[in-house]
Amino acid sequence: MYGRSLPLAKAINEGVAQGYVEGYLRKSVVAEPLFNRKNTQNNTPAIIYIDIVPGDKVEINVELKGFGSENKSDVAMLVPADGVEGVKNAVLEIVKHAGPNPCPPIVLGVGIGGTMDQAAVMSKKALLRDISTPHKDPEYAKLEEEILEMVNKTGIGPQLGGTTTCIGVNIEWGATHIAGLPVAVTIMCHAARHKHVVL
């Protein structure tokens, strides 16, 4: 999250506050996480990530994320020798540990590579891609399909079990250290609410 004093962050937080107050949406943010936990009453501050890229446009992605599913998200710090099977098993174990708690059918954002924190951010960004659009790299598109199939074989399903535990798996990846293979999984409930605009 970037500094709250930046003009862009201030503008974003003003928009979030207005949307939540005027939309009568649930107020879910506390200003301090451990001792006081006083509700801010307008769901600010927002979690903001900024990428500076060439061009004269501003691209804004908004993702509304519930914390029931967020609480079940996780990171696995693998080593390169774990390979593709290690990645698949790590994702599967995270989903099994989550069980029915994140309100299946779920959507999975998977971040592979980077560092622990970068993998987690990539897993969040993966959720911004429509689940009907496979990864542009065929190897990662195949991995998305394989993980989806594995997760749906768990039988967790919605409510009391079933064949549809997950409706989509999106992967994003980044460069990493030769000794590492971080894998982050962000679990999203079936609502998977997000919006994209270019200004």
Side-chain angles (χ1 to χ4, degrees), residues 1 10 22 28 33 47 54 64 66-68 88 92 100 106 108 125 141 144-145 161 170 181 183 186 190 194:
M1 186 174 77
K10 284 185 174 181
E22 292 179 8
S28 303
I47 305 300
L64 301 177
F67 226 87
K88 291 196 284 190
L92 190 61
I106 57 176
L108 295 178
K125 288 184 176 180
E144 289 173 341
E145 289 178 9
N170 288 354
L181 183 59
V183 178
T186 295
H190 57 274
H194 55 88

Short mmCIF file of all heavy atoms in Angstrom, two decimals, residues 1 10 22 28 33 47 54 64 66-68 88 92 100 106 108 125 141 144-145 161 170 181 183 186 190 194:
data_model
loop_
_atom_site.label_atom_id
_atom_site.label_comp_id
_atom_site.label_asym_id
_atom_site.label_seq_id
_atom_site.Cartn_x
_atom_site.Cartn_y
_atom_site.Cartn_z
N MET A 1 0.85 -1.17 0.00
CA MET A 1 0.00 0.00 0.00
C MET A 1 0.89 1.23 0.00
O MET A 1 1.87 1.28 0.70
CB MET A 1 -0.91 0.01 1.23
CG MET A 1 -1.91 1.13 1.21
SD MET A 1 -3.09 1.03 2.55
CE MET A 1 -2.11 1.63 3.90
N LYS A 10 -5.39 10.08 -1.87
CA LYS A 10 -6.47 10.86 -1.26
C LYS A 10 -7.72 10.84 -2.12
O LYS A 10 -8.84 10.67 -1.63
CB LYS A 10 -6.01 12.31 -1.03
CG LYS A 10 -5.08 12.48 0.15
CD LYS A 10 -4.78 13.96 0.37
CE LYS A 10 -3.97 14.17 1.64
NZ LYS A 10 -3.69 15.57 1.91
N GLU A 22 -22.77 6.55 0.54
CA GLU A 22 -23.97 6.80 -0.26
C GLU A 22 -24.63 5.51 -0.73
O GLU A 22 -25.83 5.48 -0.99
CB GLU A 22 -23.63 7.69 -1.46
CG GLU A 22 -23.25 9.10 -1.06
CD GLU A 22 -22.90 9.98 -2.25
OE1 GLU A 22 -23.08 9.55 -3.41
OE2 GLU A 22 -22.42 11.11 -2.01
N SER A 28 -16.52 -2.04 6.90
CA SER A 28 -15.75 -3.20 7.34
C SER A 28 -14.29 -2.93 7.70
O SER A 28 -13.55 -3.87 7.92
CB SER A 28 -15.78 -4.26 6.23
OG SER A 28 -17.10 -4.61 5.89
N PRO A 33 -5.27 -2.32 13.67
CA PRO A 33 -5.67 -3.72 13.58
C PRO A 33 -5.71 -4.53 14.87
O PRO A 33 -6.35 -5.58 14.91
CB PRO A 33 -4.62 -4.31 12.64
CG PRO A 33 -3.40 -3.49 12.91
CD PRO A 33 -3.91 -2.10 13.17
N ILE A 47 -6.81 -0.32 0.16
CA ILE A 47 -5.51 -0.91 -0.15
C ILE A 47 -5.19 -0.52 -1.59
O ILE A 47 -5.96 -0.85 -2.50
CB ILE A 47 -5.53 -2.44 0.01
CG1 ILE A 47 -6.01 -2.84 1.41
CG2 ILE A 47 -4.17 -3.03 -0.31
CD1 ILE A 47 -5.15 -2.33 2.54
N PRO A 54 4.41 3.79 -19.12
CA PRO A 54 4.41 4.85 -20.14
C PRO A 54 2.98 5.16 -20.61
O PRO A 54 2.09 4.32 -20.53
CB PRO A 54 5.23 4.24 -21.29
CG PRO A 54 5.95 3.08 -20.72
CD PRO A 54 5.14 2.60 -19.56
N LEU A 64 -13.44 -5.54 -5.10
CA LEU A 64 -14.09 -5.60 -3.79
C LEU A 64 -13.85 -6.99 -3.22
O LEU A 64 -14.27 -7.98 -3.82
CB LEU A 64 -15.60 -5.32 -3.93
CG LEU A 64 -15.95 -3.96 -4.53
CD1 LEU A 64 -17.45 -3.82 -4.70
CD2 LEU A 64 -15.40 -2.84 -3.68
N GLY A 66 -14.04 -9.62 -0.01
CA GLY A 66 -14.52 -9.98 1.31
C GLY A 66 -13.43 -10.64 2.13
O GLY A 66 -12.50 -11.24 1.58
N PHE A 67 -13.54 -10.55 3.44
CA PHE A 67 -12.45 -11.08 4.27
C PHE A 67 -12.67 -12.51 4.73
O PHE A 67 -11.76 -13.16 5.24
CB PHE A 67 -12.18 -10.17 5.47
CG PHE A 67 -10.71 -9.91 5.65
CD1 PHE A 67 -10.10 -8.86 4.99
CD2 PHE A 67 -9.93 -10.74 6.43
CE1 PHE A 67 -8.74 -8.62 5.12
CE2 PHE A 67 -8.56 -10.51 6.57
CZ PHE A 67 -7.97 -9.45 5.92
N GLY A 68 -13.87 -13.04 4.53
CA GLY A 68 -14.06 -14.46 4.83
C GLY A 68 -13.16 -15.30 3.95
O GLY A 68 -12.49 -16.22 4.41
N LYS A 88 1.16 -27.17 -7.91
CA LYS A 88 -0.22 -27.70 -7.91
C LYS A 88 -0.60 -28.21 -6.52
O LYS A 88 -1.70 -27.94 -6.03
CB LYS A 88 -0.37 -28.81 -8.95
CG LYS A 88 -0.28 -28.29 -10.37
CD LYS A 88 -0.80 -29.28 -11.40
CE LYS A 88 0.16 -30.39 -11.66
NZ LYS A 88 -0.24 -31.22 -12.83
N LEU A 92 -3.54 -26.85 -3.98
CA LEU A 92 -4.55 -27.81 -3.52
C LEU A 92 -4.63 -27.86 -2.00
O LEU A 92 -5.72 -27.88 -1.42
CB LEU A 92 -4.24 -29.20 -4.09
CG LEU A 92 -5.32 -30.26 -3.91
CD1 LEU A 92 -6.62 -29.84 -4.59
CD2 LEU A 92 -4.83 -31.59 -4.45
N PRO A 100 -15.00 -25.35 3.17
CA PRO A 100 -16.18 -24.61 2.71
C PRO A 100 -16.26 -23.19 3.24
O PRO A 100 -17.19 -22.45 2.90
CB PRO A 100 -17.33 -25.46 3.28
CG PRO A 100 -16.77 -26.02 4.54
CD PRO A 100 -15.31 -26.28 4.27
N ILE A 106 -15.59 -20.94 -5.49
CA ILE A 106 -14.60 -19.88 -5.35
C ILE A 106 -13.90 -19.59 -6.67
O ILE A 106 -14.01 -20.35 -7.63
CB ILE A 106 -13.54 -20.26 -4.29
CG1 ILE A 106 -12.86 -21.60 -4.64
CG2 ILE A 106 -14.16 -20.30 -2.90
CD1 ILE A 106 -11.74 -22.03 -3.71
N LEU A 108 -9.87 -18.64 -7.80
CA LEU A 108 -8.51 -18.62 -7.26
C LEU A 108 -7.61 -17.72 -8.08
O LEU A 108 -7.53 -17.86 -9.31
CB LEU A 108 -7.92 -20.03 -7.25
CG LEU A 108 -8.58 -21.06 -6.35
CD1 LEU A 108 -7.90 -22.42 -6.52
CD2 LEU A 108 -8.55 -20.62 -4.90
N LYS A 125 -3.84 -9.50 -8.36
CA LYS A 125 -3.99 -8.98 -9.72
C LYS A 125 -4.57 -10.03 -10.66
O LYS A 125 -5.30 -9.71 -11.60
CB LYS A 125 -2.66 -8.46 -10.24
CG LYS A 125 -2.22 -7.16 -9.59
CD LYS A 125 -0.95 -6.62 -10.20
CE LYS A 125 -0.59 -5.27 -9.59
NZ LYS A 125 0.64 -4.70 -10.17
N ALA A 141 -1.78 -21.43 -19.13
CA ALA A 141 -3.20 -21.71 -19.38
C ALA A 141 -3.51 -23.17 -19.05
O ALA A 141 -4.54 -23.48 -18.44
CB ALA A 141 -3.55 -21.40 -20.84
N GLU A 144 -3.55 -23.58 -15.30
CA GLU A 144 -4.83 -23.09 -14.76
C GLU A 144 -5.91 -24.18 -14.87
O GLU A 144 -6.65 -24.43 -13.91
CB GLU A 144 -5.29 -21.83 -15.52
CG GLU A 144 -4.46 -20.61 -15.22
CD GLU A 144 -4.80 -19.41 -16.09
OE1 GLU A 144 -5.42 -19.59 -17.17
OE2 GLU A 144 -4.45 -18.28 -15.70
N GLU A 145 -5.98 -24.82 -16.03
CA GLU A 145 -6.97 -25.89 -16.24
C GLU A 145 -6.72 -27.07 -15.30
O GLU A 145 -7.67 -27.64 -14.73
CB GLU A 145 -6.92 -26.37 -17.68
CG GLU A 145 -7.45 -25.38 -18.69
CD GLU A 145 -7.32 -25.91 -20.12
OE1 GLU A 145 -6.97 -27.10 -20.31
OE2 GLU A 145 -7.57 -25.12 -21.05
N GLY A 161 -21.29 -29.74 -0.23
CA GLY A 161 -20.45 -30.56 -1.09
C GLY A 161 -20.96 -30.60 -2.52
O GLY A 161 -22.09 -30.21 -2.81
N ASN A 170 -6.94 -18.20 -12.13
CA ASN A 170 -6.13 -17.26 -12.91
C ASN A 170 -4.74 -17.17 -12.29
O ASN A 170 -4.62 -16.99 -11.08
CB ASN A 170 -6.75 -15.87 -12.92
CG ASN A 170 -8.01 -15.80 -13.76
OD1 ASN A 170 -8.37 -16.74 -14.45
ND2 ASN A 170 -8.67 -14.67 -13.72
N LEU A 181 10.77 -20.29 -5.19
CA LEU A 181 9.58 -20.52 -5.99
C LEU A 181 8.35 -20.19 -5.12
O LEU A 181 7.61 -21.07 -4.70
CB LEU A 181 9.52 -21.98 -6.49
CG LEU A 181 8.35 -22.35 -7.39
CD1 LEU A 181 8.32 -21.51 -8.65
CD2 LEU A 181 8.40 -23.83 -7.73
N VAL A 183 4.69 -19.22 -4.04
CA VAL A 183 3.35 -19.42 -4.61
C VAL A 183 2.34 -18.83 -3.64
O VAL A 183 2.25 -19.26 -2.49
CB VAL A 183 3.05 -20.92 -4.82
CG1 VAL A 183 1.63 -21.10 -5.38
CG2 VAL A 183 4.07 -21.56 -5.74
N THR A 186 -4.75 -16.33 -3.55
CA THR A 186 -5.81 -15.50 -3.01
C THR A 186 -7.13 -16.14 -3.38
O THR A 186 -7.41 -16.37 -4.56
CB THR A 186 -5.74 -14.06 -3.56
OG1 THR A 186 -4.54 -13.45 -3.12
CG2 THR A 186 -6.92 -13.23 -3.06
N HIS A 190 -17.47 -16.52 -4.87
CA HIS A 190 -18.01 -16.59 -6.23
C HIS A 190 -18.43 -15.24 -6.80
O HIS A 190 -18.53 -15.07 -8.01
CB HIS A 190 -19.20 -17.55 -6.27
CG HIS A 190 -20.29 -17.17 -5.32
ND1 HIS A 190 -20.28 -17.57 -4.00
CD2 HIS A 190 -21.40 -16.42 -5.49
CE1 HIS A 190 -21.36 -17.08 -3.40
NE2 HIS A 190 -22.05 -16.37 -4.26
N HIS A 194 -15.21 -6.96 -9.57
CA HIS A 194 -14.12 -6.08 -9.97
C HIS A 194 -14.56 -5.22 -11.15
O HIS A 194 -15.48 -5.56 -11.88
CB HIS A 194 -12.84 -6.84 -10.30
CG HIS A 194 -13.01 -7.92 -11.32
ND1 HIS A 194 -12.89 -7.69 -12.67
CD2 HIS A 194 -13.29 -9.23 -11.19
CE1 HIS A 194 -13.07 -8.83 -13.33
NE2 HIS A 194 -13.33 -9.77 -12.46
#
